[in-house]
Each structure stands twice: as structure tokens, then as C-alpha cells.
Amino acid sequence: MTTTGEMHRAAGGPWWWERRRSAVLDVGLAVASAAECGVEGVGFARDAGVPAAVGVVFGVLAGATLVLRRQWPIAVVLIGVAVTPARMGVLLSVVGLYTLAASEMPRRIIGALAGMSFVGTLIVSVVRAQQDMGHGNLVRVGDWFVPFVAITTSLGVTAPPLLLGLYVGARRRLMESLRERADSLERELQLLAERAEERAEWARGEERTRIAREMHDVVAHRVSLMVVHAAALQAVARKDPEKAVRNAALVGDMGRQALTELREMLGVLRSGGGGREPGAAVPLAAVGVAAAAAASRAVDDEDGPCLGDLDELVGQSRAAGMVVELLVEGDMRSYVAAVEQTAYRVVQEALTNVHKHAAGAKTYVRLAHRVSEIAMQVENEPPPDADSASDVRLPSGGNGLVGMKERVAGLGGVFVCGPTDAGGYRVSAVLPAA
């Protein structure tokens, strides 16, 4: 923890200390410094001509300020510099310089205070060495001896704690930056995991929607025609037996076609999990792909739904009693399988909706082959009998129009539907040719 005067106290630490052991260490150092300064205060009192008790008290108070080193390192260093002429406070100066250098104080402040401590120690060392030589405590070696001793003493007291403090401070800041970076990476990973989960949930929703759309396209149209023919069969069973037989045959054919498409879909779903153990869960994405493949009956399959099957599709509706006109503009040509299948499904769903909601209404199917696009439109007139749709009792879940819009938008096309001014309904779509 850096000592900037604004420390964050962690749980368990008294006052400005973040840990109890830090407080114990500082108190121990302060006691040692107070003892040192108190002993040296006796000599200071003798030289200053004051009672010894005054010198001891002065030294104890000065040395005890070391307990404030983490909170106010500048004050501790200044006190150390101030008591240097009294020949006391070596431990105070050394530990204070170390604490200051390890803090996040500006380098100019650290350099200025370190220079003051060095100069103060140098002056005191020179004076003491000259006094000792004058008293005969040291043997005169030469004029170089006093400067050498003073500089060596000053460097020994100032340089090691300063360099060690700078190293420890730099290492501490590096560790803090690494911890912050690790925390940042952890937060980013957590955010990425949440986003991945959201994307996975969105993908699962999209796959469920696609499966529902494909199932609807595969089965809904034929089942709707079966219900229409069954209703017609019930109405003419006694009046026109021959027509009833034809309707029954059509119902059987459409039922077999619906079963065939269901078997194809189930077969693709089963084969899509090749290599899996029995009972193993099939990924939802694989189910969606299989459903789409079954709905289109494969791109390369000649029997897949395409624009060439529109005549048969319109014929089925005519056989169910609907009056349908098919108009084709432009030269017939082949398109990408996805475009042809989507165009077929749009017309198929539109005719199914006419069976459901406007039974007996005349319907127009228009197909236009243009240079870079293909357009289709299915429009029906108002039904002759307002209650005709309710007699058939075809359920509607509202998924057909949504599915058509999603199919067309997936290919970059435009889909529009809505009621006409005459009371009918119109479904229009434009698909790019490529």
C-alpha cells in the first residue's frame, strides 16, 4: 500500500493502517527510534547545557514520530533532518527516507528531501569528524580524510534507504497495476460470458422460430386442403356421390403427401444426428437445419418445391372449389433454389389463408419475371358468404404471415400484405433474382 496520506483502511486495521501487522511494525519501529533518540538526547543535553531529562524527553518525542511514517512521510523526514544536528535520529532518518521513497509522492519532492537529508548528514559528519580530530579521538591522516568520512557516512545513511524505497515503490505499483488489469480482464470475461449466453439464447430462439416456420410450411397447406375437402365431402355425400368420391380421393392423396413430407422431415432429423448415442440430445441448431432441409426437400432434389409446381398448387386449390386465376408475366427461367422455394411457399401460404378466411372467394395469382427480381402477388375478392369461412372451422395461429415475411426478408426481399379497398386481401412479395 502506498503512503500518500490518503490510504484506504481495510477491515481490521486501526486508524490509518490497513492491517494490524502494519500497525504493530510501525509501533515497534517508533519504540526503537524513541529509545535511540532518548539515549542520544543525554549527550545533546550535555552539549546544549540543559538538564538531561529535557534532552531525553526531546529525543523520545522526536523518535516516536516515526509511528506517523505511513500517514505523513514528509513530516517524518523533515523531523529527521531537523534533529540531525543534535546527533540523533539515525533510525528515524533511514526509515523516513525509505517510506518517502516508496510512496507515490512526486519525484521532485522525494529528491529535494533526500538532498536535504544528505546535506544535513554531511555537515554534521564534517563537524563531528573535525571535533573528534581536535580532541585527539582520531589520528590525523590527511586533509582528504574528513571529506571522505563525511561523504561516506552521508551516502551510507541516505542512499540505501532511498534506492530500496524507490525499488519497493515501483514494485508495489507494478503489482497494483497487474491486479487492476487482472480485475479488469475478469470483468471483461464475465461480460463476454453474459453476452455469449445472450447470443446463445437468441440463437436458440431463432432456431425454434425457424423450426416452427418450416413445420408450418410443410404441413399446414396440405392439412388445410384436407379439411376443406372433408367439409365439402360432408356437404355432398348424399346429394352427389360421385363428387364425394372424388373429394375423398383428394383427401387421401393429400394425407399421403403430408405423411410423406413428415416422414422425410423425421428421417432428416434422425440422420442429422449420425454418430450419436441413442437417447443423446440433438443440438437445436441441427434440428433447425434438418427441418429446413426437410421442408425444402433438399436443394438438388427434383421434387422440391419450385416455381414449376405452381400449376399443381393452383390445381389443388381449384379442386377444393376455389376459383383461381394464374397470370405469369415475362419469360419463365430458373432461379436459385432458395428463391424458387421461397416464392412457392409465399403463394402456398397465401392460398391457404384464402381457404381459411375467404372460402369461395375468387383469387388471382400473379407472377412477374423481371430483369433482376421476381415478384408475386396473391389477391382475393371478398367471399360471397360472410359465414363461409366459419363453416370450415380451420384454426389459425397467425404464424403464416410472420413466416412469409421472415423468409422474404432473409433473402433481402420486400413483403407487403393487407386488406384491399374492395374488401379482399392482398399478399405481395418481391425477391432478388440472385
Side-chain angles (χ1 to χ4, degrees):
M1 188 68 177
T2 55
T3 53
T4 62
E6 297 180 354
M7 301 175 63
H8 299 284
R9 182 173 62 89
W15 295 342
W16 57 81
W17 289 284
E18 62 176 354
R19 292 185 299 270
R20 291 186 179 275
R21 63 180 182 180
S22 299
V24 173
L25 175 62
D26 287 356
V27 170
L29 290 174
V31 170
S33 178
E36 175 204 353
C37 293
V39 173
E40 294 172 344
V42 176
F44 167 71
R46 185 178 58 252
D47 295 339
V50 297
V54 176
V56 172
V57 172
F58 174 76
V60 169
L61 292 177
T65 58
L66 189 60
V67 76
L68 306 175
R69 70 184 186 95
R70 296 178 188 267
Q71 185 74 354
W72 296 292
I74 295 178
V76 173
V77 174
L78 289 176
I79 293 174
V81 173
V83 300
T84 298
R87 300 182 180 182
M88 65 173 64
V90 176
L91 181 61
L92 179 66
S93 299
V94 170
V95 177
L97 276 177
Y98 164 80
T99 306
L100 179 66
S103 69
E104 292 184 355
M105 291 293 176
R107 291 291 178 262
R108 63 179 181 275
I109 296 178
I110 296 175
L113 292 176
M116 291 173 59
S117 179
F118 175 80
V119 172
T121 305
L122 180 64
I123 294 174
V124 171
S125 299
V126 170
V127 172
R128 175 176 286 186
Q130 290 179 348
Q131 289 177 352
D132 291 341
M133 292 181 65
H135 295 157
N137 297 330
L138 293 176
V139 178
R140 179 178 295 274
V141 177
D143 294 336
W144 56 269
F145 183 72
V146 172
F148 173 77
V149 171
I151 294 175
T152 303
T153 304
S154 301
L155 289 176
V157 173
T158 305
L162 179 64
L163 296 178
L164 181 61
L166 292 174
Y167 166 75
V168 172
R171 183 175 180 274
R172 185 179 297 155
R173 286 187 289 273
L174 175 62
M175 296 300 296
E176 289 179 355
S177 65
L178 292 177
R179 279 195 296 269
E180 291 177 357
R181 184 176 299 179
D183 293 340
S184 176
L185 289 176
E186 184 178 359
R187 288 192 296 269
E188 290 180 1
L189 289 176
Q190 184 177 1
L191 181 60
L192 289 175
E194 292 175 356
R195 290 182 178 176
E197 185 176 355
E198 292 176 358
R199 287 195 296 269
E201 183 63 28
W202 175 83
R204 285 193 292 268
E206 288 293 314
E207 291 299 332
R208 283 192 291 266
T209 302
R210 186 170 66 161
I211 292 171
R213 183 172 65 244
E214 301 297 346
M215 291 287 292
H216 180 275
D217 292 340
V218 168
V219 180
H221 177 71
R222 299 197 186 281
V223 174
S224 299
L225 290 180
M226 289 171 59
V227 175
V228 172
H229 283 293
L233 177 62
Q234 183 180 5
V236 302
R238 295 183 179 180
K239 298 179 182 179
D240 191 348
E242 293 183 0
K243 187 175 181 179
V245 171
R246 291 196 300 271
N247 287 340
L250 287 174
V251 171
D253 291 340
M254 292 177 185
R256 283 188 289 272
Q257 292 174 359
L259 287 175
T260 299
E261 291 182 345
L262 282 175
R263 290 193 188 99
E264 290 177 358
M265 177 172 289
L266 293 175
V268 174
L269 289 174
R270 290 193 183 100
S271 62
R276 297 183 179 273
E277 297 179 358
V282 180
L284 191 58
V287 176
V289 174
S296 62
R297 285 188 269 177
V299 174
D300 298 331
D301 191 351
E302 296 180 356
D303 296 332
C306 60
L307 293 177
D309 298 331
L310 283 182
D311 291 333
E312 180 183 355
L313 182 65
V314 172
Q316 292 175 355
S317 296
R318 288 171 179 167
M322 181 188 297
V323 180
V324 185
E325 290 188 8
L326 175 62
L327 303 176
V328 180
E329 300 178 3
D331 297 332
M332 183 70 179
R333 64 181 189 272
S334 60
Y335 299 91
V336 179
V339 174
E340 294 207 12
Q341 292 166 10
T342 300
Y344 179 90
R345 295 298 187 191
V346 168
V347 176
Q348 182 187 58
E349 180 60 31
L351 292 176
T352 301
N353 288 340
V354 176
H355 283 295
K356 290 181 180 180
H357 308 293
K362 187 174 182 179
T363 306
Y364 302 92
V365 179
R366 299 181 178 89
L367 185 67
H369 299 277
R370 299 169 183 169
V371 177
S372 59
E373 61 186 16
I374 177 173
M376 65 225 66
Q377 177 179 292
V378 179
E379 180 180 352
N380 63 275
E381 298 178 352
D385 186 1
D387 299 330
S388 59
S390 62
D391 295 339
V392 179
R393 294 189 180 92
L394 281 171
S396 178
N399 297 319
L401 295 177
V402 176
M404 283 191 288
K405 185 175 182 180
E406 290 175 350
R407 279 182 174 276
V408 173
L411 295 178
V414 179
F415 178 83
V416 179
C417 64
T420 61
D421 295 336
Y425 202 84
R426 181 186 297 117
V427 174
S428 302
V430 179
L431 295 173

